[in-house]
Amino acid sequence: MNIKGFGGIFWRTKNLEDIKQWYSKVLNIEIEGWNGAIITPQADNETIFSFFTQEDRYFPLDQQVMLNFQVENLDDSIKHLEKLGVPFVKEKEVSEFGNFIWIEDPEGRRIELWEK
């Protein structure tokens, strides 16, 4: 078996229309009429698949999954989010693994934005 990448990310939502609008406006993910989007990675894009223990506090303990979106330019993304008034859960972090910020969607799911 050869894994090519993730085929999708699926979750339930309390308010479908609000969530669709938020992801479209804030993260520029255009959600189509079938309630999803196809994201086509670029050649330099990579997806990290990683496990965390139930006690790990890297993201909220009541959240079973955290999304990480790789962005081309984190500073431009920060400007976009600030313009929209999206609060940061975590300010920009610079590490050996890249640059990161955290935001939350309207239902409180933490989202990590990452520039490699």
Side-chain angles (χ1 to χ4, degrees):
M1 178 178 354
N2 181 22
I3 303 298
K4 294 169 120 181
F6 284 102
I9 300 169
F10 312 105
W11 69 53
R12 299 181 197 288
T13 183
K14 296 173 187 166
N15 190 322
L16 183 60
E17 291 309 313
D18 285 351
I19 286 295
K20 286 169 49 174
Q21 289 175 13
W22 188 89
Y23 277 83
S24 176
K25 184 170 116 180
V26 173
L27 297 177
N28 294 321
I29 299 173
E30 292 303 321
I31 308 298
E32 298 181 27
W34 51 275
N35 298 328
I38 297 173
I39 299 171
T40 306
Q42 298 172 357
D44 62 346
N45 184 330
E46 61 185 33
T47 300
I48 305 299
F49 181 64
S50 179
F51 294 101
F52 292 81
T53 67
Q54 287 293 327
E55 298 80 27
D56 195 303
R57 297 195 174 272
Y58 190 68
F59 56 95
L61 295 176
D62 62 345
Q63 183 176 332
Q64 292 298 308
V65 175
M66 181 172 72
L67 298 178
N68 170 301
F69 292 103
Q70 186 176 352
V71 298
E72 286 185 35
N73 185 309
L74 190 60
D75 290 332
D76 286 348
S77 298
I78 289 169
K79 289 175 189 169
H80 169 73
L81 295 168
E82 288 174 338
K83 183 176 155 186
L84 294 174
V86 175
F88 297 94
V89 176
K90 176 181 177 179
E91 297 294 326
K92 183 177 176 182
E93 173 188 317
V94 178
S95 78
E96 63 187 279
F97 304 109
N99 303 327
F100 302 88
I101 61 170
W102 286 346
I103 61 174
E104 288 181 342
D105 76 11
E107 294 182 358
R109 285 180 286 260
R110 185 164 299 168
I111 298 166
E112 185 172 64
L113 300 181
W114 167 48
E115 178 185 10
K116 183 176 169 185

